């Protein structure tokens, strides 16, 4: 017989929700980074500004790629990145910036962790 492309658990809403949220959040971070890079920068400075604004986006994308296969590791990576943003921005960012960046990371990390624990519970029973 032929093997299905996706297992039953991979077609569920709870499987795809954190993955889609991660992709949407990376797109959001890219838009924010792109908006920060203004025409006020000259040629050499625009390269530095681009790197500084797109590196966090790339790090979240890498954490999402890790979480795609290893949900528990990805969950802890997302929560760690949210805590890191709070630690590095403490005193210089508003509460809204913390909520806009760390909030989705905590939520995505919690959903990935819930999925991992749910999958382990299914394997045990």
């Amino acid at each position: 017989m032929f093997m299905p492309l996706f297992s039953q658990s991979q077609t569920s809403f709870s499987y795809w929700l954190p993955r889609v949220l991660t992709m949407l959040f990376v797109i959001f971070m890219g838009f924010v980074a792109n908006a920060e890079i203004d025409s006020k920068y000259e040629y050499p400075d625009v390269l530095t500004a681009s790197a500084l604004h797109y590196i966090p986006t790339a790090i979240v994308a890498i954490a999402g790629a890790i979480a795609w296969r290893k949900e528990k590791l990805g969950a802890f990576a997302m929560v760690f990145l949210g805590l890191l943003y709070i630690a590095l921005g403490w005193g210089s960012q508003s509460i809204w910036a913390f909520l806009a960046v760390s909030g989705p990371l905590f939520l995505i990390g919690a959903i990935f962790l819930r999925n991992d624990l749910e999958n382990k519970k299914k394997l045990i029973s």
Side-chain angles (χ1 to χ4, degrees):
M1 286 273 78
F2 87 100
M3 295 287 294
L5 185 59
F6 295 107
S7 70
Q8 182 66 23
S9 66
Q10 291 177 333
T11 59
S12 69
F13 179 74
S14 66
Y15 176 83
W16 286 105
L17 179 65
R19 289 156 176 82
V20 170
L21 287 176
T22 301
M23 290 186 277
L24 291 173
F25 186 65
V26 168
I27 292 169
F28 166 73
M29 286 184 66
F31 281 141
V32 170
N34 198 29
E36 288 294 320
I37 301 168
D38 201 315
S39 60
K40 64 184 176 185
Y41 292 109
E42 297 295 322
Y43 171 68
D45 295 333
V46 78
L47 296 177
T48 305
S50 296
L52 290 176
H53 284 89
Y54 287 122
I55 287 173
T57 305
I59 291 171
V60 172
I62 290 168
I66 291 168
W68 199 284
R69 289 304 229 179
K70 301 189 183 298
E71 289 181 328
K72 184 183 278 185
L73 183 61
F76 289 124
M78 294 291 184
V79 171
F80 172 75
L81 290 174
L83 291 172
L84 183 65
Y85 180 77
I86 291 172
L88 293 177
W90 195 259
S92 65
Q93 300 291 329
S94 71
I95 187 72
W96 301 111
F98 292 136
L99 289 174
V101 176
S102 294
L105 289 171
F106 292 151
L107 176 66
I108 293 167
I111 297 171
F112 271 123
L113 186 61
R114 184 189 141 276
N115 284 350
D116 182 66
L117 295 174
E118 185 178 285
N119 288 338
K120 290 216 183 339
K121 190 166 64 170
K122 284 180 185 177
L123 289 175
I124 291 172
S125 37

